Amino acid sequence: MNAEEIMRTNVHKLTMEDKIESAVFLMEKERLRHIPIVADDDTLIGIISDRDVRDARFSIFSNKRLDTILQQPVKEIMKTEVFTVHPLEYVADVASMLSEHKITGAPVTVDDKLVGMITGRDLLDTLVQLMGADQPSSQIEVKVTDASGQLADVAAIFKHHGINVTSMLIYPDKQTDYKILAFRVQAMDIRAVLTSLKDEGYEISGPSIPNMGSPDRL
């Protein structure tokens, strides 16, 4: 999945001559944390954040009246070094870069022209959908060694029970050198497959099923 599949195309934007008052109004009305600043041809020239607006109110123009501050153009507070995303960049790479730069949103551009916007909320919503957590389902986490064939062997157990896997993730166990296979499955009663996994020697990291003890006692 790439950025253009999840980006917002109805982007709220301003020009550098628009007043800070307009930015405040837009942020409050639309609950925005970032507003791209563009030229008349939609070329991206800067960005302002809710933090920039707060800093302007209490720092940059601290010796002026609030109404005077709000009448200043946004070019006085906008950032011109903007981290941008290309529509064809993979969502995972976008998330990694936002985390690395410690920012919560980025404009999407093509040849310096604004075409969309991606926020941390967009990425979170996408993760929920990719994990299938927005649909009736169950999650099963299996601890395995870093040996080839482990994923296929565990998947075969789900197939034996006629359980459909809708998504899965692999991540390292923080306590050991093992890996965690996190499956989202289309089944609400998963006690039988948990028992089979345990019988095959797999350690279940989660969940704990009522009336069946902890995962280690399944």
Side-chain angles (χ1 to χ4, degrees), residues 5-6 23 33 40 44 55 60 70 81 94 101 105 112 114 148 154-155 161-162 169 190 205-206 208:
E5 295 180 68
I6 71 167
R33 298 190 64 181
D40 292 337
L44 183 70
D55 288 347
I60 299 175
L70 295 179
E81 294 184 5
V94 173
H101 289 270
D112 296 326
L114 180 69
S148 62
V154 174
H161 285 271
L169 287 176
I190 55 175
S205 296
S208 176

Side-chain angles (χ1 to χ4, degrees), residues 57-123:
R57 283 176 166 176
F58 303 112
S59 178
I60 299 175
F61 304 110
S62 59
N63 62 333
K64 297 184 180 181
R65 288 171 51 86
L66 179 59
D67 55 354
T68 302
I69 294 171
L70 295 179
Q71 296 309 307
Q72 297 290 326
V74 296
K75 66 181 179 182
E76 298 291 343
I77 65 172
M78 73 180 187
K79 301 292 192 301
T80 56
E81 294 184 5
V82 186
F83 172 79
T84 61
V85 173
H86 190 275
L88 298 182
E89 289 191 65
Y90 287 115
V91 169
D93 293 333
V94 173
S96 176
M97 288 185 286
L98 290 183
S99 176
E100 178 183 349
H101 289 270
K102 294 181 173 59
I103 55 179
T104 58
V108 184
T109 61
V110 176
D111 296 329
D112 296 326
K113 299 292 182 67
L114 180 69
V115 297
M117 189 79 183
I118 285 183
T119 68
R121 178 59 184 269
D122 299 324
L123 294 170

Side-chain angles (χ1 to χ4, degrees), residues 183-201:
F183 296 89
R184 179 69 61 168
V185 299
Q186 287 183 328
M188 301 310 293
D189 187 351
I190 55 175
R191 289 174 295 179
V193 71
L194 290 177
T195 298
S196 293
L197 287 166
K198 186 66 176 178
D199 289 344
E200 291 295 325

